Amino acid sequence: MVDILVLGTGASHRTIQTDAFKFKTIVWYIAGITGRLVVQYLNTHRQKASFTFGLAGRSQSKLSALISEFSLNDVPVFTVDVSNAAEVESVICHARVIINTIGPYWFWGNNVVSACVRHGKHYVDLTGEPHWVKDVIATYDYAATQTGSIVVPFCGLDSIPSDLLVFVANKTLKAFAGSSATIDQSTSAWTVTESGLSGGTVASMLAAFEEVPRRKLVASSQDFCLSPVQGVPNSRPRLVYTLPFSSPPVRGPWFVMAVINRQVVFRTWGLHELTARLNIGQSEVAESSKTLTYGPNFKYEEFIVFPSFFQAFMHAAVITISMIALSTCSWARKLARRLLPKAGDGPSDENLEKGAVEITNITTSTDSQRHPTVIRTTFKGRGEPGYLLSSIMVAESALCIILNGRDLPPIAKAGGVLTPMSAFGDVLVERLKACGRIEVHSEILLDADRNNSDGIKKTR
């Protein structure tokens, strides 16, 4: 059995190559750009000797080319039709963790998740489709807790950085102010360079507008729609946001990923909040759960940084109008298919090294007696964010289960449909910091330093 199976490019062939052994991880649909990057990363990983992986996809010729490119002669390979539930089940039984890089997941994800849950296998993916995940939670969450299957969507740029920043900020707050400290507001400001809209993202977005019932899209855009606990109302959406305690001001508009990332952050909040409430009276468990909660008044928002208020406003207006057109007009979607990247399109190997992402999060505590505690947490990634960094994030998410299973939070050991931080927590934070491309820092801003960047007190 392999540790990881990478699922990568779709599946039209009906034959399955089997081996005399089973492997622990399978990467599905490998011929796509992201699947290829996941395989490349696993093949050159510093801990490669500690895990095994296999490949699965629809095209034997593309799989063969991948094997030749990376000299993967000893890696098990499966040709499988992902739309065929029986074939999917026969393949996932050979692995411990499935990395699914095929989308739109609304079309192609259910058979894979269903098979993983049924057989107690673990699953991670790169989806940015909250409407699909909402259905996955309703259908598979309880069953996954019964089989011990850990199911973690959103393990790429959607939405690990957002989830991680709040998780780390909360730990910094509690290390400084005590376990009873809670969060009031958390805001993340994104700066992304040399990264365009991926073809897979475009395909998923257009498929959602055309195939997903509108009521599901509306429901999945509401705050706490993925959370098991309902939180307090957040600020009303606006065209331009400002990062608190920033000098000079850091401003920017909302962006599409913000809608997705908020739901993931709120689900993490809800899972930790529910766990703490259920464990009241069990002193040891309750205290452990309390350190992970953000507090009943938690609110979150994020935006993408622009140089000026005018540019931010214009960008927000254009994006808002474009999204309305895409969601309501078939001609707009036809035009988008002609002009925007197509599934399978992506940057060259050279351009993969040019991109970067830097996110600054400001989190403030709930404190009516004195000035709130202010925490600044940063996430810096070197490399093209949407493809290269996402591939690293989803691969390291799978490796959390394979190599650090004993260290995962109790909620992960119980199984279920989880979020990156509720499932992997500090394990994933440390693995990403060790990959050589990602830095995470968190610090307390002292009173005299809340309007500048000097004199901070580092706590992590």
Side-chain angles (χ1 to χ4, degrees), residues 405-423:
R406 293 182 178 179
D407 301 322
L408 295 181
I411 191 174
K413 295 176 182 178
V417 182
L418 306 174
T419 59
M421 284 300 103
S422 62

Side-chain angles (χ1 to χ4, degrees), residues 169-179 181 444 459-460:
N170 181 61
K171 295 203 70 175
T172 300
L173 170 63
K174 285 179 166 54
F176 179 77
S179 62
I444 301 295
T459 63
R460 185 179 180 86

Side-chain angles (χ1 to χ4, degrees), residues 248-403:
V250 176
R251 298 190 180 98
W254 76 279
F255 65 130
V256 176
M257 281 173 54
V259 179
I260 302 161
N261 294 339
R262 281 164 60 93
Q263 308 311 332
V264 177
V265 171
F266 288 143
R267 179 160 177 78
T268 297
W269 169 83
L271 289 168
H272 288 154
E273 188 75 15
L274 180 62
T275 301
R277 294 180 187 182
L278 292 177
N279 289 317
I280 291 177
Q282 304 177 39
S283 57
E284 185 176 342
V285 178
E287 186 61 29
S288 174
S289 301
K290 190 176 180 181
T291 63
L292 296 174
T293 58
Y294 301 164
N297 297 313
F298 173 70
K299 297 175 283 293
Y300 179 77
E301 60 189 19
E302 65 180 34
F303 62 91
I304 190 165
V305 176
F306 269 67
S308 69
F309 180 90
F310 176 76
Q311 288 176 293
F313 181 85
M314 292 304 297
H315 179 86
V318 169
I319 292 298
T320 300
I321 293 171
S322 298
M323 296 302 291
I324 292 173
L326 289 172
S327 65
T328 58
C329 304
S330 60
W331 62 263
R333 293 191 291 271
K334 291 179 181 178
L335 182 62
R337 284 196 169 89
R338 295 185 60 181
L339 300 179
L340 295 178
K342 297 176 176 57
D345 293 347
S348 64
D349 289 346
E350 178 183 356
N351 288 334
L352 286 172
E353 295 294 334
K354 293 181 179 180
V357 61
E358 180 172 349
I359 313 167
T360 300
N361 172 275
I362 296 294
T363 292
T364 56
S365 68
T366 304
D367 196 333
S368 59
Q369 302 301 316
R370 56 186 177 88
H371 291 304
T373 303
V374 180
I375 305 97
R376 178 168 58 203
T377 309
T378 59
F379 179 102
K380 297 180 181 179
R382 178 173 55 85
E384 199 284 327
Y387 289 98
L388 182 59
L389 295 183
S390 283
S391 300
I392 292 172
M393 291 177 205
V394 75
E396 291 293 352
S397 295
L399 290 172
C400 284
I401 301 173
I402 297 302
L403 301 181

